[in-house]
Amino acid sequence: MSYAVVRASLVPSPSSPPLRNQNGSLSSPNNASQNTGGGGGCAEVPTNNPSMPTVSASGYKWRLVIAYDGTRYAGWQYQQSPPTIQCIVEKALTRATKIERNNLRLVGASRTDAGVHAWGQVAHFITPFNYDSLESIHAALNGLLPLDIRVREISPAVPEFHARFSAISKIYHYKIYNDAVMDPFQRHCAHHSTYKLNTTLMREAASYFIGKHDFSAFVNASRNDRVLNPVKNIFRFDVIELEALLQLEVEGSGFLYRQVRNMVALLIQIGKGAIPPDIVPLILTSRDRKELAKYALSAPPHGLCLVNVRYNEEHLRLPSGCPKTSFGRQHTVRKCKLPFY
């Protein structure tokens, strides 16, 4: 399998495009050509793949890597009340770019649920103009966003790139604080279990999830009508002990609604010794959510975090002439202003 962590990539370039300077003003097409190495920016990439979502030839696509504490939000998917991550990010983008949300067309890789966190959520949006630098727009976005939402990276993207449909795998972590007394500093990002969990049994049970299976029994019943293909491929499922903290790491081609939290809930019951590890293949074979409900309910959302989304290298290439990826500005002290005595 060939994949890479999200980094910078290329951007389409229509004829005579407007270009944003670092101060946000528009440059002329002639100046744009000088700033981007000729041709007014990055070379346009044709989108001939009918199965891949495409973007207008007059638009520029940009990729964001976003981290957030989901405690105060009703998930990723757009809605105004109660507020969601997508809603807040779109408002910041609208103010920073002066583009209406319908034209930005912001799309996230994963529609995380209410209370779920992210370190590596990926999203893309579109502008009718190019940038000669991404540092200023990056700083502007983080200046407009609340402190529990941060844009970690911003980079150009090829027209073929789609934050959701181009993903080849996603990595989630679920944290369980396994001690009699909860660590107050972990209360918003880890589920507290006062039962001493048997990690050996949990690892054995987790191994049954690895591979390609029909996960119909692990999808929330109220969302069954949204499931087009319940068959998912789980590449790894690790149970890692970090003193009192248990970190369950799962990587898969994709996940159904609440699938990860349902799998974790079953592992917790197995870790308590309430049921044996070999119950997992029996529930998988049943393809019935009611069968899982006999043994476990969904684990709480605050222990779950989207850590990374992986893509093929072809969607992440960065040709010459594109703005560099922005990882944020680092400030340094150039000269000490205090006198020495």
Side-chain angles (χ1 to χ4, degrees):
M1 182 186 303
S2 174
Y3 52 69
V5 178
V6 162
R7 293 298 180 206
S9 190
L10 91 112
V11 60
S13 175
S15 59
S16 300
L19 186 78
R20 291 282 183 181
N21 292 319
Q22 290 195 29
N23 61 8
S25 62
L26 284 170
S27 298
S28 68
N30 292 334
N31 291 339
S33 178
Q34 295 173 4
N35 290 340
T36 56
C42 307
E44 184 176 351
V45 178
T47 55
N48 297 324
N49 186 347
S51 64
M52 184 66 65
T54 59
V55 60
S56 168
S58 62
Y60 293 84
K61 186 175 283 189
W62 310 95
R63 179 170 50 249
L64 302 172
V65 181
I66 307 170
Y68 50 83
D69 177 345
T71 303
R72 299 192 304 125
Y73 302 99
W76 165 268
Q77 196 72 1
Y78 182 86
Q79 66 181 43
Q80 291 189 349
S81 181
T84 63
I85 305 297
Q86 183 178 2
C87 179
I88 301 298
V89 173
E90 283 187 350
K91 287 181 179 179
L93 280 169
T94 298
R95 291 185 63 185
T97 64
K98 306 298 187 291
I99 300 173
E100 294 299 321
R101 67 171 296 265
N102 291 337
N103 296 325
L104 286 168
R105 289 183 277 175
L106 181 69
V107 176
S110 179
R111 293 174 290 185
T112 54
D113 293 336
V116 174
H117 315 297
W119 173 249
Q121 172 73 284
V122 178
H124 74 257
F125 68 97
I126 296 168
T127 63
F129 49 76
N130 195 3
Y131 286 97
D132 61 354
S133 172
L134 295 174
E135 285 192 348
S136 293
I137 182 68
H138 192 172
L141 287 174
N142 280 335
L144 292 167
L145 289 168
L147 294 177
D148 50 6
I149 304 175
R150 296 288 89 180
V151 173
R152 293 175 49 218
E153 301 176 24
I154 178 171
S155 61
V158 292
E160 297 91 343
F161 175 81
H162 192 282
R164 182 182 175 194
F165 297 119
S166 298
I168 60 173
S169 76
K170 298 173 185 176
I171 300 174
Y172 283 90
H173 289 181
Y174 193 96
K175 294 182 179 180
I176 303 169
Y177 197 80
N178 194 202
D179 200 3
V181 179
M182 180 63 182
D183 181 348
F185 297 103
Q186 300 279 354
R187 71 189 188 281
H188 291 310
C189 59
H191 168 55
H192 184 208
S193 174
T194 56
Y195 292 91
K196 183 60 178 177
L197 301 177
N198 187 324
T199 54
T200 301
L201 294 178
M202 294 175 72
R203 289 190 184 97
E204 180 184 345
S207 68
Y208 289 113
F209 288 117
I210 298 174
K212 189 175 290 187
H213 304 284
D214 185 325
F215 283 93
S216 295
F218 289 85
V219 64
N220 184 274
S222 65
R223 298 288 184 97
N224 268 334
D225 57 331
R226 289 176 48 186
V227 178
L228 299 178
N229 183 9
V231 177
K232 304 297 177 183
N233 194 359
I234 303 299
F235 304 127
R236 66 182 180 93
F237 203 148
D238 302 322
V239 179
I240 300 171
E241 296 179 75
L242 304 169
E243 296 183 349
L245 195 67
L246 298 183
Q247 186 162 281
L248 280 59
E249 302 182 0
V250 57
E251 179 177 2
S253 59
F255 297 94
L256 304 173
Y257 179 63
R258 291 195 180 176
Q259 178 186 336
V260 176
R261 288 164 58 191
N262 286 332
M263 292 190 297
V264 168
L266 187 62
L267 292 185
I268 291 174
Q269 291 300 106
I270 292 170
K272 291 177 181 178
I275 47 178
D278 57 9
I279 197 70
V280 174
L282 297 178
I283 296 175
L284 281 169
T285 303
S286 75
R287 302 179 184 178
D288 185 356
R289 179 65 178 83
K290 294 178 181 178
E291 191 65 25
L292 174 64
K294 295 177 182 178
Y295 307 100
L297 301 175
S298 292
H302 66 280
L304 187 61
C305 181
L306 172 63
V307 174
N308 198 4
V309 183
R310 298 179 185 262
Y311 300 90
N312 285 317
E313 289 283 0
E314 64 188 61
H315 289 134
L316 304 176
R317 62 191 183 277
L318 180 65
S320 60
C322 294
K324 296 189 300 183
T325 299
S326 173
F327 298 99
R329 289 173 176 165
Q330 290 281 340
H331 297 280
T332 58
V333 177
R334 296 183 180 179
K335 184 178 180 181
C336 183
K337 297 181 180 180
L338 296 177
F340 289 95
Y341 297 99

